[in-house]
Protein backbone atom coordinates (compact mmCIF):
# COMPACT_ATOMS: atom_id res chain seq x y z
CA UNK A 1 0.00 0.00 0.00
CA UNK A 2 2.81 2.43 0.87
CA UNK A 3 4.37 2.11 -2.59
CA UNK A 4 1.03 2.48 -4.39
CA UNK A 5 0.01 5.47 -2.27
CA UNK A 6 3.37 7.21 -2.67
CA UNK A 7 3.27 6.75 -6.46
CA UNK A 8 -0.30 8.08 -6.45
CA UNK A 9 0.74 11.18 -4.46
CA UNK A 10 3.77 11.92 -6.69
CA UNK A 11 1.71 11.39 -9.87
CA UNK A 12 -1.00 13.74 -8.63
CA UNK A 13 1.53 16.37 -7.60
CA UNK A 14 3.22 16.13 -10.99
CA UNK A 15 -0.13 16.53 -12.77
CA UNK A 16 -1.22 19.44 -10.53
CA UNK A 17 2.19 21.12 -10.10
CA UNK A 18 1.52 24.32 -12.07
CA UNK A 19 -1.85 24.87 -10.37
CA UNK A 20 -0.39 24.11 -6.93
CA UNK A 21 2.57 26.47 -7.49
CA UNK A 22 0.24 29.24 -8.61
CA UNK A 23 -2.16 28.75 -5.67
CA UNK A 24 0.51 28.56 -2.97
CA UNK A 25 3.02 31.06 -4.39
CA UNK A 26 5.72 28.47 -5.12
CA UNK A 27 8.31 28.41 -7.89
CA UNK A 28 7.90 25.89 -10.73
CA UNK A 29 11.55 24.81 -10.31
CA UNK A 30 11.10 23.97 -6.60
CA UNK A 31 11.94 20.36 -5.67
CA UNK A 32 10.70 17.90 -3.06
CA UNK A 33 13.16 17.18 -0.25
CA UNK A 34 10.88 15.26 2.09
CA UNK A 35 7.47 13.63 2.36
CA UNK A 36 6.00 13.01 5.80
CA UNK A 37 2.72 11.20 6.49
CA UNK A 38 0.89 11.60 9.75
CA UNK A 39 -2.33 10.83 11.52
CA UNK A 40 -4.69 7.96 10.93
CA UNK A 41 -4.60 5.91 7.74
CA UNK A 42 -7.73 5.22 5.70
CA UNK A 43 -8.65 3.65 2.39
CA UNK A 44 -5.78 1.17 1.90
CA UNK A 45 -3.27 3.02 4.06
CA UNK A 46 -3.68 6.53 2.65
CA UNK A 47 -2.89 9.37 5.07
CA UNK A 48 -2.59 13.13 5.18
CA UNK A 49 0.94 13.93 3.98
CA UNK A 50 3.15 16.99 4.23
CA UNK A 51 5.38 17.66 1.22
CA UNK A 52 8.46 19.76 2.10
CA UNK A 53 10.27 21.62 -0.68
CA UNK A 54 13.81 22.96 -1.17
CA UNK A 55 12.49 26.53 -0.89
CA UNK A 56 11.45 25.79 2.70
CA UNK A 57 7.76 25.88 1.78
CA UNK A 58 5.45 22.98 2.52
CA UNK A 59 2.05 21.86 1.27
CA UNK A 60 -0.39 19.34 2.67
CA UNK A 61 -1.85 16.53 0.57
CA UNK A 62 -5.21 15.07 1.62
CA UNK A 63 -6.08 11.82 -0.19
CA UNK A 64 -9.81 12.43 0.12
CA UNK A 65 -12.27 15.09 -0.96
CA UNK A 66 -11.37 18.53 0.40
CA UNK A 67 -14.72 20.11 -0.48
CA UNK A 68 -15.47 20.53 3.24
CA UNK A 69 -12.19 22.45 3.72
CA UNK A 70 -12.93 24.58 0.66
CA UNK A 71 -16.46 25.43 1.78
CA UNK A 72 -15.37 26.10 5.36
CA UNK A 73 -12.85 28.68 4.10
CA UNK A 74 -15.71 30.37 2.22
CA UNK A 75 -17.70 30.46 5.45
CA UNK A 76 -14.77 32.04 7.28
CA UNK A 77 -14.40 34.64 4.49
CA UNK A 78 -18.10 35.47 4.96
CA UNK A 79 -17.58 36.05 8.69
CA UNK A 80 -14.47 38.14 7.96
CA UNK A 81 -16.54 40.26 5.58
CA UNK A 82 -19.39 40.71 8.07
CA UNK A 83 -17.11 41.20 11.09
CA UNK A 84 -13.87 42.63 9.73
CA UNK A 85 -12.33 42.93 13.21
CA UNK A 86 -12.23 39.12 13.48
CA UNK A 87 -9.75 38.70 10.61
CA UNK A 88 -9.90 34.90 10.88
CA UNK A 89 -7.07 33.08 9.09
CA UNK A 90 -8.28 31.21 6.00
CA UNK A 91 -6.31 28.46 4.29
CA UNK A 92 -5.64 28.18 0.58
CA UNK A 93 -7.16 25.02 -0.90
CA UNK A 94 -6.74 23.35 -4.29
CA UNK A 95 -9.69 21.01 -4.67
CA UNK A 96 -9.39 18.09 -7.07
CA UNK A 97 -11.55 15.03 -7.68
CA UNK A 98 -11.44 12.99 -4.41
CA UNK A 99 -8.23 14.60 -3.12
CA UNK A 100 -6.69 18.03 -2.68
CA UNK A 101 -3.85 20.28 -1.58
CA UNK A 102 -4.04 22.50 1.50
CA UNK A 103 -1.87 25.35 2.70
CA UNK A 104 0.62 24.27 5.36
CA UNK A 105 0.08 26.27 8.54
CA UNK A 106 3.25 27.01 10.47
CA UNK A 107 2.73 26.88 14.26
CA UNK A 108 3.91 29.99 16.05
CA UNK A 109 3.69 31.13 19.65
CA UNK A 110 1.84 34.31 20.52
CA UNK A 111 3.69 36.37 23.10
CA UNK A 112 2.38 39.86 23.77
CA UNK A 113 -0.91 40.72 25.46
CA UNK A 114 -2.50 42.32 22.39
CA UNK A 115 -1.78 39.25 20.24
CA UNK A 116 -3.12 36.95 22.97
CA UNK A 117 -6.36 38.93 23.25
CA UNK A 118 -6.85 38.79 19.49
CA UNK A 119 -6.02 35.08 19.43
CA UNK A 120 -8.62 34.22 22.06
CA UNK A 121 -11.24 36.44 20.39
CA UNK A 122 -10.64 34.49 17.15
CA UNK A 123 -10.69 31.17 19.03
CA UNK A 124 -14.06 32.14 20.55
CA UNK A 125 -15.36 33.06 17.09
CA UNK A 126 -14.22 29.70 15.64
CA UNK A 127 -15.89 27.93 18.56
CA UNK A 128 -19.14 29.82 17.94
CA UNK A 129 -18.98 29.07 14.19
CA UNK A 130 -18.27 25.36 14.57
CA UNK A 131 -20.56 24.53 17.51
CA UNK A 132 -23.79 24.67 15.42
CA UNK A 133 -22.05 22.26 13.00
CA UNK A 134 -21.69 19.73 15.84
CA UNK A 135 -17.92 20.18 16.03
CA UNK A 136 -15.99 17.88 18.37
CA UNK A 137 -12.30 17.45 19.24
CA UNK A 138 -11.68 21.16 18.73
CA UNK A 139 -8.30 21.06 20.48
CA UNK A 140 -4.73 19.65 20.41
CA UNK A 141 -3.47 18.76 16.93
CA UNK A 142 -6.75 19.75 15.26
CA UNK A 143 -6.07 23.46 15.91
CA UNK A 144 -2.82 25.19 14.94
CA UNK A 145 -1.78 28.42 16.66
CA UNK A 146 -0.42 30.49 13.77
CA UNK A 147 0.87 34.05 13.49
CA UNK A 148 -2.55 35.07 12.07
CA UNK A 149 -4.51 33.28 14.82
CA UNK A 150 -5.98 29.84 15.47
CA UNK A 151 -6.63 27.61 12.45
CA UNK A 152 -8.89 24.55 12.54
CA UNK A 153 -7.06 22.10 10.27
CA UNK A 154 -9.00 18.85 10.73
CA UNK A 155 -12.54 19.43 9.53
CA UNK A 156 -13.47 15.79 10.00
CA UNK A 157 -14.24 17.03 13.51
CA UNK A 158 -17.41 18.70 12.18
CA UNK A 159 -20.93 17.29 11.77
CA UNK A 160 -20.72 14.64 14.46
CA UNK A 161 -23.98 13.26 15.75
CA UNK A 162 -24.34 12.57 19.45
CA UNK A 163 -24.70 8.94 20.37
CA UNK A 164 -28.13 8.05 21.67
CA UNK A 165 -27.70 7.32 25.35
CA UNK A 166 -30.37 6.08 27.73
CA UNK A 167 -32.01 8.79 29.71
CA UNK A 168 -30.08 9.91 32.76
CA UNK A 169 -30.63 7.97 35.94
CA UNK A 170 -29.97 10.93 38.24
CA UNK A 171 -29.33 14.67 38.29
CA UNK A 172 -25.56 14.25 37.95
CA UNK A 173 -25.85 12.12 34.77
CA UNK A 174 -28.43 14.54 33.37
CA UNK A 175 -26.06 17.46 33.97
CA UNK A 176 -23.22 15.59 32.26
CA UNK A 177 -25.42 14.93 29.19
CA UNK A 178 -26.44 18.59 29.00
CA UNK A 179 -22.81 19.75 29.28
CA UNK A 180 -21.67 17.24 26.64
CA UNK A 181 -24.25 18.60 24.20
CA UNK A 182 -23.24 22.20 24.90
CA UNK A 183 -20.22 24.11 23.59
CA UNK A 184 -18.25 22.47 26.43
CA UNK A 185 -18.51 19.15 24.56
CA UNK A 186 -16.22 20.51 21.81
CA UNK A 187 -13.19 20.19 24.08
CA UNK A 188 -11.65 23.65 23.69
CA UNK A 189 -13.07 25.17 26.90
CA UNK A 190 -12.05 24.23 30.45
CA UNK A 191 -14.03 21.23 31.66
CA UNK A 192 -16.04 21.58 34.89
CA UNK A 193 -15.32 18.91 37.47
CA UNK A 194 -17.99 17.31 39.62
CA UNK A 195 -17.32 17.43 43.35
CA UNK A 196 -18.27 14.30 45.24
Amino acid sequence: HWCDNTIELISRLDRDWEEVCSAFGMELNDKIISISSGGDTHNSGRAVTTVILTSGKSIVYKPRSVSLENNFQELLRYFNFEFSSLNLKTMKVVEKDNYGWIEFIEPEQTCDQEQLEKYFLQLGALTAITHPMHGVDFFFENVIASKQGPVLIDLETLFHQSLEIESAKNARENTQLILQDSVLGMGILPQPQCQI
Side-chain angles (χ1 to χ4, degrees), residues 83-103:
F83 308 98
S84 58
S85 61
L86 284 179
N87 198 22
L88 297 169
K89 166 70 178 145
T90 58
M91 293 187 297
K92 296 172 186 161
V93 178
V94 173
E95 183 178 354
K96 305 306 282 184
D97 188 26
N98 294 319
Y99 72 96
W101 307 96
I102 309 287
E103 177 182 0

mmCIF file with all atom_site columns, all heavy atoms in Angstrom, residues 83-103:
data_model
loop_
_atom_site.group_PDB
_atom_site.id
_atom_site.type_symbol
_atom_site.label_atom_id
_atom_site.label_alt_id
_atom_site.label_comp_id
_atom_site.label_asym_id
_atom_site.label_entity_id
_atom_site.label_seq_id
_atom_site.pdbx_PDB_ins_code
_atom_site.Cartn_x
_atom_site.Cartn_y
_atom_site.Cartn_z
_atom_site.occupancy
_atom_site.B_iso_or_equiv
_atom_site.pdbx_formal_charge
_atom_site.auth_seq_id
_atom_site.auth_comp_id
_atom_site.auth_asym_id
_atom_site.auth_atom_id
_atom_site.pdbx_PDB_model_num
ATOM 1   N N   . PHE A 1 83  ? -17.731 40.747 9.844   1.00 0.00 ? 83  PHE A N   1
ATOM 2   C CA  . PHE A 1 83  ? -17.105 41.202 11.091  1.00 0.00 ? 83  PHE A CA  1
ATOM 3   C C   . PHE A 1 83  ? -15.609 41.367 10.838  1.00 0.00 ? 83  PHE A C   1
ATOM 4   O O   . PHE A 1 83  ? -14.817 40.516 11.223  1.00 0.00 ? 83  PHE A O   1
ATOM 5   C CB  . PHE A 1 83  ? -17.355 40.193 12.224  1.00 0.00 ? 83  PHE A CB  1
ATOM 6   C CG  . PHE A 1 83  ? -18.798 39.825 12.400  1.00 0.00 ? 83  PHE A CG  1
ATOM 7   C CD1 . PHE A 1 83  ? -19.299 38.649 11.847  1.00 0.00 ? 83  PHE A CD1 1
ATOM 8   C CD2 . PHE A 1 83  ? -19.659 40.655 13.094  1.00 0.00 ? 83  PHE A CD2 1
ATOM 9   C CE1 . PHE A 1 83  ? -20.637 38.313 12.001  1.00 0.00 ? 83  PHE A CE1 1
ATOM 10  C CE2 . PHE A 1 83  ? -20.996 40.327 13.253  1.00 0.00 ? 83  PHE A CE2 1
ATOM 11  C CZ  . PHE A 1 83  ? -21.480 39.151 12.705  1.00 0.00 ? 83  PHE A CZ  1
ATOM 12  N N   . SER A 1 84  ? -15.245 42.450 10.195  1.00 0.00 ? 84  SER A N   1
ATOM 13  C CA  . SER A 1 84  ? -13.866 42.628 9.735   1.00 0.00 ? 84  SER A CA  1
ATOM 14  C C   . SER A 1 84  ? -12.857 42.615 10.881  1.00 0.00 ? 84  SER A C   1
ATOM 15  O O   . SER A 1 84  ? -11.689 42.291 10.676  1.00 0.00 ? 84  SER A O   1
ATOM 16  C CB  . SER A 1 84  ? -13.730 43.912 8.926   1.00 0.00 ? 84  SER A CB  1
ATOM 17  O OG  . SER A 1 84  ? -14.126 45.020 9.709   1.00 0.00 ? 84  SER A OG  1
ATOM 18  N N   . SER A 1 85  ? -13.280 42.926 12.091  1.00 0.00 ? 85  SER A N   1
ATOM 19  C CA  . SER A 1 85  ? -12.334 42.934 13.214  1.00 0.00 ? 85  SER A CA  1
ATOM 20  C C   . SER A 1 85  ? -11.875 41.521 13.581  1.00 0.00 ? 85  SER A C   1
ATOM 21  O O   . SER A 1 85  ? -10.835 41.351 14.200  1.00 0.00 ? 85  SER A O   1
ATOM 22  C CB  . SER A 1 85  ? -12.967 43.598 14.443  1.00 0.00 ? 85  SER A CB  1
ATOM 23  O OG  . SER A 1 85  ? -14.115 42.879 14.848  1.00 0.00 ? 85  SER A OG  1
ATOM 24  N N   . LEU A 1 86  ? -12.633 40.496 13.176  1.00 0.00 ? 86  LEU A N   1
ATOM 25  C CA  . LEU A 1 86  ? -12.229 39.117 13.479  1.00 0.00 ? 86  LEU A CA  1
ATOM 26  C C   . LEU A 1 86  ? -10.954 38.737 12.751  1.00 0.00 ? 86  LEU A C   1
ATOM 27  O O   . LEU A 1 86  ? -10.038 38.178 13.320  1.00 0.00 ? 86  LEU A O   1
ATOM 28  C CB  . LEU A 1 86  ? -13.332 38.126 13.093  1.00 0.00 ? 86  LEU A CB  1
ATOM 29  C CG  . LEU A 1 86  ? -14.531 38.029 14.007  1.00 0.00 ? 86  LEU A CG  1
ATOM 30  C CD1 . LEU A 1 86  ? -15.528 37.023 13.465  1.00 0.00 ? 86  LEU A CD1 1
ATOM 31  C CD2 . LEU A 1 86  ? -14.089 37.650 15.413  1.00 0.00 ? 86  LEU A CD2 1
ATOM 32  N N   . ASN A 1 87  ? -10.913 39.016 11.444  1.00 0.00 ? 87  ASN A N   1
ATOM 33  C CA  . ASN A 1 87  ? -9.754  38.703 10.611  1.00 0.00 ? 87  ASN A CA  1
ATOM 34  C C   . ASN A 1 87  ? -9.280  37.268 10.828  1.00 0.00 ? 87  ASN A C   1
ATOM 35  O O   . ASN A 1 87  ? -8.107  37.009 11.093  1.00 0.00 ? 87  ASN A O   1
ATOM 36  C CB  . ASN A 1 87  ? -8.622  39.701 10.891  1.00 0.00 ? 87  ASN A CB  1
ATOM 37  C CG  . ASN A 1 87  ? -7.592  39.695 9.782   1.00 0.00 ? 87  ASN A CG  1
ATOM 38  O OD1 . ASN A 1 87  ? -7.875  39.291 8.665   1.00 0.00 ? 87  ASN A OD1 1
ATOM 39  N ND2 . ASN A 1 87  ? -6.398  40.133 10.102  1.00 0.00 ? 87  ASN A ND2 1
ATOM 40  N N   . LEU A 1 88  ? -10.222 36.309 10.710  1.00 0.00 ? 88  LEU A N   1
ATOM 41  C CA  . LEU A 1 88  ? -9.899  34.897 10.881  1.00 0.00 ? 88  LEU A CA  1
ATOM 42  C C   . LEU A 1 88  ? -8.986  34.430 9.751   1.00 0.00 ? 88  LEU A C   1
ATOM 43  O O   . LEU A 1 88  ? -9.187  34.786 8.589   1.00 0.00 ? 88  LEU A O   1
ATOM 44  C CB  . LEU A 1 88  ? -11.176 34.055 10.888  1.00 0.00 ? 88  LEU A CB  1
ATOM 45  C CG  . LEU A 1 88  ? -12.150 34.343 12.031  1.00 0.00 ? 88  LEU A CG  1
ATOM 46  C CD1 . LEU A 1 88  ? -13.483 33.659 11.774  1.00 0.00 ? 88  LEU A CD1 1
ATOM 47  C CD2 . LEU A 1 88  ? -11.564 33.892 13.356  1.00 0.00 ? 88  LEU A CD2 1
ATOM 48  N N   . LYS A 1 89  ? -7.994  33.625 10.090  1.00 0.00 ? 89  LYS A N   1
ATOM 49  C CA  . LYS A 1 89  ? -7.070  33.085 9.089   1.00 0.00 ? 89  LYS A CA  1
ATOM 50  C C   . LYS A 1 89  ? -7.805  32.058 8.238   1.00 0.00 ? 89  LYS A C   1
ATOM 51  O O   . LYS A 1 89  ? -8.465  31.163 8.746   1.00 0.00 ? 89  LYS A O   1
ATOM 52  C CB  . LYS A 1 89  ? -5.875  32.435 9.797   1.00 0.00 ? 89  LYS A CB  1
ATOM 53  C CG  . LYS A 1 89  ? -5.007  31.555 8.932   1.00 0.00 ? 89  LYS A CG  1
ATOM 54  C CD  . LYS A 1 89  ? -4.210  32.337 7.922   1.00 0.00 ? 89  LYS A CD  1
ATOM 55  C CE  . LYS A 1 89  ? -3.308  31.398 7.114   1.00 0.00 ? 89  LYS A CE  1
ATOM 56  N NZ  . LYS A 1 89  ? -3.159  31.796 5.755   1.00 0.00 ? 89  LYS A NZ  1
ATOM 57  N N   . THR A 1 90  ? -7.732  32.214 6.921   1.00 0.00 ? 90  THR A N   1
ATOM 58  C CA  . THR A 1 90  ? -8.285  31.213 6.000   1.00 0.00 ? 90  THR A CA  1
ATOM 59  C C   . THR A 1 90  ? -7.123  30.519 5.303   1.00 0.00 ? 90  THR A C   1
ATOM 60  O O   . THR A 1 90  ? -6.059  31.109 5.096   1.00 0.00 ? 90  THR A O   1
ATOM 61  C CB  . THR A 1 90  ? -9.217  31.860 4.952   1.00 0.00 ? 90  THR A CB  1
ATOM 62  O OG1 . THR A 1 90  ? -8.496  32.853 4.228   1.00 0.00 ? 90  THR A OG1 1
ATOM 63  C CG2 . THR A 1 90  ? -10.428 32.496 5.619   1.00 0.00 ? 90  THR A CG2 1
ATOM 64  N N   . MET A 1 91  ? -7.343  29.256 4.971   1.00 0.00 ? 91  MET A N   1
ATOM 65  C CA  . MET A 1 91  ? -6.315  28.463 4.291   1.00 0.00 ? 91  MET A CA  1
ATOM 66  C C   . MET A 1 91  ? -6.580  28.431 2.789   1.00 0.00 ? 91  MET A C   1
ATOM 67  O O   . MET A 1 91  ? -7.733  28.409 2.368   1.00 0.00 ? 91  MET A O   1
ATOM 68  C CB  . MET A 1 91  ? -6.320  27.026 4.810   1.00 0.00 ? 91  MET A CB  1
ATOM 69  C CG  . MET A 1 91  ? -5.904  26.876 6.240   1.00 0.00 ? 91  MET A CG  1
ATOM 70  S SD  . MET A 1 91  ? -5.735  25.132 6.724   1.00 0.00 ? 91  MET A SD  1
ATOM 71  C CE  . MET A 1 91  ? -7.400  24.529 6.533   1.00 0.00 ? 91  MET A CE  1
ATOM 72  N N   . LYS A 1 92  ? -5.509  28.390 2.024   1.00 0.00 ? 92  LYS A N   1
ATOM 73  C CA  . LYS A 1 92  ? -5.641  28.183 0.581   1.00 0.00 ? 92  LYS A CA  1
ATOM 74  C C   . LYS A 1 92  ? -5.887  26.698 0.339   1.00 0.00 ? 92  LYS A C   1
ATOM 75  O O   . LYS A 1 92  ? -5.277  25.845 0.992   1.00 0.00 ? 92  LYS A O   1
ATOM 76  C CB  . LYS A 1 92  ? -4.381  28.641 -0.141  1.00 0.00 ? 92  LYS A CB  1
ATOM 77  C CG  . LYS A 1 92  ? -4.122  30.127 -0.004  1.00 0.00 ? 92  LYS A CG  1
ATOM 78  C CD  . LYS A 1 92  ? -2.775  30.493 -0.561  1.00 0.00 ? 92  LYS A CD  1
ATOM 79  C CE  . LYS A 1 92  ? -2.489  31.965 -0.279  1.00 0.00 ? 92  LYS A CE  1
ATOM 80  N NZ  . LYS A 1 92  ? -1.061  32.263 -0.380  1.00 0.00 ? 92  LYS A NZ  1
ATOM 81  N N   . VAL A 1 93  ? -6.792  26.403 -0.595  1.00 0.00 ? 93  VAL A N   1
ATOM 82  C CA  . VAL A 1 93  ? -7.164  25.021 -0.898  1.00 0.00 ? 93  VAL A CA  1
ATOM 83  C C   . VAL A 1 93  ? -7.199  24.842 -2.413  1.00 0.00 ? 93  VAL A C   1
ATOM 84  O O   . VAL A 1 93  ? -7.751  25.670 -3.131  1.00 0.00 ? 93  VAL A O   1
ATOM 85  C CB  . VAL A 1 93  ? -8.567  24.693 -0.312  1.00 0.00 ? 93  VAL A CB  1
ATOM 86  C CG1 . VAL A 1 93  ? -8.984  23.267 -0.676  1.00 0.00 ? 93  VAL A CG1 1
ATOM 87  C CG2 . VAL A 1 93  ? -8.608  24.901 1.191   1.00 0.00 ? 93  VAL A CG2 1
ATOM 88  N N   . VAL A 1 94  ? -6.597  23.764 -2.892  1.00 0.00 ? 94  VAL A N   1
ATOM 89  C CA  . VAL A 1 94  ? -6.741  23.353 -4.290  1.00 0.00 ? 94  VAL A CA  1
ATOM 90  C C   . VAL A 1 94  ? -7.548  22.062 -4.260  1.00 0.00 ? 94  VAL A C   1
ATOM 91  O O   . VAL A 1 94  ? -7.054  21.025 -3.805  1.00 0.00 ? 94  VAL A O   1
ATOM 92  C CB  . VAL A 1 94  ? -5.381  23.139 -4.983  1.00 0.00 ? 94  VAL A CB  1
ATOM 93  C CG1 . VAL A 1 94  ? -5.579  22.552 -6.375  1.00 0.00 ? 94  VAL A CG1 1
ATOM 94  C CG2 . VAL A 1 94  ? -4.600  24.447 -5.050  1.00 0.00 ? 94  VAL A CG2 1
ATOM 95  N N   . GLU A 1 95  ? -8.782  22.158 -4.717  1.00 0.00 ? 95  GLU A N   1
ATOM 96  C CA  . GLU A 1 95  ? -9.691  21.006 -4.673  1.00 0.00 ? 95  GLU A CA  1
ATOM 97  C C   . GLU A 1 95  ? -9.663  20.262 -5.988  1.00 0.00 ? 95  GLU A C   1
ATOM 98  O O   . GLU A 1 95  ? -9.881  20.829 -7.052  1.00 0.00 ? 95  GLU A O   1
ATOM 99  C CB  . GLU A 1 95  ? -11.117 21.494 -4.373  1.00 0.00 ? 95  GLU A CB  1
ATOM 100 C CG  . GLU A 1 95  ? -12.119 20.381 -4.224  1.00 0.00 ? 95  GLU A CG  1
ATOM 101 C CD  . GLU A 1 95  ? -13.514 20.886 -3.884  1.00 0.00 ? 95  GLU A CD  1
ATOM 102 O OE1 . GLU A 1 95  ? -13.704 22.089 -3.645  1.00 0.00 ? 95  GLU A OE1 1
ATOM 103 O OE2 . GLU A 1 95  ? -14.422 20.035 -3.863  1.00 0.00 ? 95  GLU A OE2 1
ATOM 104 N N   . LYS A 1 96  ? -9.376  18.957 -5.907  1.00 0.00 ? 96  LYS A N   1
ATOM 105 C CA  . LYS A 1 96  ? -9.386  18.087 -7.073  1.00 0.00 ? 96  LYS A CA  1
ATOM 106 C C   . LYS A 1 96  ? -10.448 17.012 -6.850  1.00 0.00 ? 96  LYS A C   1
ATOM 107 O O   . LYS A 1 96  ? -11.137 17.014 -5.838  1.00 0.00 ? 96  LYS A O   1
ATOM 108 C CB  . LYS A 1 96  ? -8.003  17.447 -7.279  1.00 0.00 ? 96  LYS A CB  1
ATOM 109 C CG  . LYS A 1 96  ? -6.851  18.450 -7.371  1.00 0.00 ? 96  LYS A CG  1
ATOM 110 C CD  . LYS A 1 96  ? -7.028  19.521 -8.412  1.00 0.00 ? 96  LYS A CD  1
ATOM 111 C CE  . LYS A 1 96  ? -6.735  19.045 -9.793  1.00 0.00 ? 96  LYS A CE  1
ATOM 112 N NZ  . LYS A 1 96  ? -6.815  20.112 -10.796 1.00 0.00 ? 96  LYS A NZ  1
ATOM 113 N N   . ASP A 1 97  ? -10.554 16.092 -7.782  1.00 0.00 ? 97  ASP A N   1
ATOM 114 C CA  . ASP A 1 97  ? -11.555 15.032 -7.679  1.00 0.00 ? 97  ASP A CA  1
ATOM 115 C C   . ASP A 1 97  ? -11.094 13.977 -6.665  1.00 0.00 ? 97  ASP A C   1
ATOM 116 O O   . ASP A 1 97  ? -10.175 13.217 -6.930  1.00 0.00 ? 97  ASP A O   1
ATOM 117 C CB  . ASP A 1 97  ? -11.774 14.401 -9.054  1.00 0.00 ? 97  ASP A CB  1
ATOM 118 C CG  . ASP A 1 97  ? -12.942 13.427 -9.054  1.00 0.00 ? 97  ASP A CG  1
ATOM 119 O OD1 . ASP A 1 97  ? -13.852 13.577 -8.221  1.00 0.00 ? 97  ASP A OD1 1
ATOM 120 O OD2 . ASP A 1 97  ? -12.934 12.502 -9.890  1.00 0.00 ? 97  ASP A OD2 1
ATOM 121 N N   . ASN A 1 98  ? -11.720 13.955 -5.491  1.00 0.00 ? 98  ASN A N   1
ATOM 122 C CA  . ASN A 1 98  ? -11.440 12.994 -4.414  1.00 0.00 ? 98  ASN A CA  1
ATOM 123 C C   . ASN A 1 98  ? -10.081 13.152 -3.735  1.00 0.00 ? 98  ASN A C   1
ATOM 124 O O   . ASN A 1 98  ? -9.601  12.221 -3.089  1.00 0.00 ? 98  ASN A O   1
ATOM 125 C CB  . ASN A 1 98  ? -11.607 11.553 -4.902  1.00 0.00 ? 98  ASN A CB  1
ATOM 126 C CG  . ASN A 1 98  ? -13.045 11.265 -5.258  1.00 0.00 ? 98  ASN A CG  1
ATOM 127 O OD1 . ASN A 1 98  ? -13.959 11.692 -4.551  1.00 0.00 ? 98  ASN A OD1 1
ATOM 128 N ND2 . ASN A 1 98  ? -13.260 10.569 -6.359  1.00 0.00 ? 98  ASN A ND2 1
ATOM 129 N N   . TYR A 1 99  ? -9.444  14.288 -3.879  1.00 0.00 ? 99  TYR A N   1
ATOM 130 C CA  . TYR A 1 99  ? -8.231  14.600 -3.123  1.00 0.00 ? 99  TYR A CA  1
ATOM 131 C C   . TYR A 1 99  ? -8.006  16.098 -3.242  1.00 0.00 ? 99  TYR A C   1
ATOM 132 O O   . TYR A 1 99  ? -8.751  16.801 -3.932  1.00 0.00 ? 99  TYR A O   1
ATOM 133 C CB  . TYR A 1 99  ? -7.016  13.814 -3.634  1.00 0.00 ? 99  TYR A CB  1
ATOM 134 C CG  . TYR A 1 99  ? -6.486  14.262 -4.990  1.00 0.00 ? 99  TYR A CG  1
ATOM 135 C CD1 . TYR A 1 99  ? -5.426  15.146 -5.091  1.00 0.00 ? 99  TYR A CD1 1
ATOM 136 C CD2 . TYR A 1 99  ? -7.067  13.792 -6.181  1.00 0.00 ? 99  TYR A CD2 1
ATOM 137 C CE1 . TYR A 1 99  ? -4.940  15.548 -6.328  1.00 0.00 ? 99  TYR A CE1 1
ATOM 138 C CE2 . TYR A 1 99  ? -6.588  14.186 -7.414  1.00 0.00 ? 99  TYR A CE2 1
ATOM 139 C CZ  . TYR A 1 99  ? -5.526  15.063 -7.479  1.00 0.00 ? 99  TYR A CZ  1
ATOM 140 O OH  . TYR A 1 99  ? -5.044  15.468 -8.698  1.00 0.00 ? 99  TYR A OH  1
ATOM 141 N N   . GLY A 1 100 ? -6.973  16.603 -2.557  1.00 0.00 ? 100 GLY A N   1
ATOM 142 C CA  . GLY A 1 100 ? -6.694  18.027 -2.675  1.00 0.00 ? 100 GLY A CA  1
ATOM 143 C C   . GLY A 1 100 ? -5.415  18.416 -1.960  1.00 0.00 ? 100 GLY A C   1
ATOM 144 O O   . GLY A 1 100 ? -4.767  17.606 -1.287  1.00 0.00 ? 100 GLY A O   1
ATOM 145 N N   . TRP A 1 101 ? -5.054  19.679 -2.141  1.00 0.00 ? 101 TRP A N   1
ATOM 146 C CA  . TRP A 1 101 ? -3.847  20.277 -1.576  1.00 0.00 ? 101 TRP A CA  1
ATOM 147 C C   . TRP A 1 101 ? -4.272  21.432 -0.681  1.00 0.00 ? 101 TRP A C   1
ATOM 148 O O   . TRP A 1 101 ? -5.111  22.242 -1.055  1.00 0.00 ? 101 TRP A O   1
ATOM 149 C CB  . TRP A 1 101 ? -2.933  20.762 -2.704  1.00 0.00 ? 101 TRP A CB  1
ATOM 150 C CG  . TRP A 1 101 ? -2.649  19.701 -3.707  1.00 0.00 ? 101 TRP A CG  1
ATOM 151 C CD1 . TRP A 1 101 ? -3.304  19.495 -4.901  1.00 0.00 ? 101 TRP A CD1 1
ATOM 152 C CD2 . TRP A 1 101 ? -1.688  18.655 -3.612  1.00 0.00 ? 101 TRP A CD2 1
ATOM 153 N NE1 . TRP A 1 101 ? -2.794  18.399 -5.549  1.00 0.00 ? 101 TRP A NE1 1
ATOM 154 C CE2 . TRP A 1 101 ? -1.795  17.851 -4.779  1.00 0.00 ? 101 TRP A CE2 1
ATOM 155 C CE3 . TRP A 1 101 ? -0.734  18.308 -2.645  1.00 0.00 ? 101 TRP A CE3 1
ATOM 156 C CZ2 . TRP A 1 101 ? -0.984  16.747 -5.001  1.00 0.00 ? 101 TRP A CZ2 1
ATOM 157 C CZ3 . TRP A 1 101 ? 0.073   17.196 -2.887  1.00 0.00 ? 101 TRP A CZ3 1
ATOM 158 C CH2 . TRP A 1 101 ? -0.052  16.445 -4.040  1.00 0.00 ? 101 TRP A CH2 1
ATOM 159 N N   . ILE A 1 102 ? -3.673  21.499 0.502   1.00 0.00 ? 102 ILE A N   1
ATOM 160 C CA  . ILE A 1 102 ? -4.045  22.496 1.502   1.00 0.00 ? 102 ILE A CA  1
ATOM 161 C C   . ILE A 1 102 ? -2.790  23.259 1.913   1.00 0.00 ? 102 ILE A C   1
ATOM 162 O O   . ILE A 1 102 ? -1.699  22.684 2.009   1.00 0.00 ? 102 ILE A O   1
ATOM 163 C CB  . ILE A 1 102 ? -4.636  21.817 2.772   1.00 0.00 ? 102 ILE A CB  1
ATOM 164 C CG1 . ILE A 1 102 ? -5.733  20.830 2.411   1.00 0.00 ? 102 ILE A CG1 1
ATOM 165 C CG2 . ILE A 1 102 ? -5.120  22.838 3.783   1.00 0.00 ? 102 ILE A CG2 1
ATOM 166 C CD1 . ILE A 1 102 ? -7.028  21.425 1.982   1.00 0.00 ? 102 ILE A CD1 1
ATOM 167 N N   . GLU A 1 103 ? -2.971  24.524 2.202   1.00 0.00 ? 103 GLU A N   1
ATOM 168 C CA  . GLU A 1 103 ? -1.868  25.348 2.703   1.00 0.00 ? 103 GLU A CA  1
ATOM 169 C C   . GLU A 1 103 ? -1.331  24.760 4.007   1.00 0.00 ? 103 GLU A C   1
ATOM 170 O O   . GLU A 1 103 ? -2.089  24.373 4.894   1.00 0.00 ? 103 GLU A O   1
ATOM 171 C CB  . GLU A 1 103 ? -2.388  26.767 2.944   1.00 0.00 ? 103 GLU A CB  1
ATOM 172 C CG  . GLU A 1 103 ? -1.385  27.718 3.529   1.00 0.00 ? 103 GLU A CG  1
ATOM 173 C CD  . GLU A 1 103 ? -1.973  29.099 3.794   1.00 0.00 ? 103 GLU A CD  1
ATOM 174 O OE1 . GLU A 1 103 ? -3.166  29.323 3.527   1.00 0.00 ? 103 GLU A OE1 1
ATOM 175 O OE2 . GLU A 1 103 ? -1.216  29.956 4.271   1.00 0.00 ? 103 GLU A OE2 1
#
